[in-house]
Amino acid sequence: MKIADCCDLIRQRYAEIGSGEQGYIPAAIHCALKALNDIAQDTEIQQSRREQAAFAAANLLISDHED
């Protein structure tokens, strides 16, 4: 996925990180997994969204990433 394919909020954060306004996190996969885990366990979020987050997190964990 390219930045142009992302929603406005992601593009905004991308620009903020690139400009130094927001901090860059070198352990990005860990950061993404934490965010996905937070979504997956939040019972106030719609179940279908929680399942999407869980599926994405599981795929990241199974992939051969190095953080």
Side-chain angles (χ1 to χ4, degrees), residues 4-21:
D5 299 326
C6 295
C7 71
D8 289 340
L9 186 57
I10 292 173
R11 290 197 310 266
Q12 179 182 350
R13 294 299 177 262
Y14 182 88
E16 290 169 355
I17 292 168
S19 72
E21 185 177 333

Side-chain angles (χ1 to χ4, degrees), residues 21-63:
E21 185 177 333
Q22 286 282 339
Y24 169 74
I25 299 172
I29 291 177
H30 175 79
C31 178
L33 283 169
K34 183 177 177 337
L36 291 167
N37 184 66
D38 289 350
I39 293 166
Q41 69 182 0
D42 188 342
T43 57
E44 293 184 17
I45 295 175
Q46 183 181 24
Q47 182 66 25
S48 64
R49 294 291 184 205
R50 294 174 60 211
E51 290 175 12
Q52 285 178 324
F55 183 77
N59 272 282
L60 280 174
L61 288 168
I62 290 172
S63 73

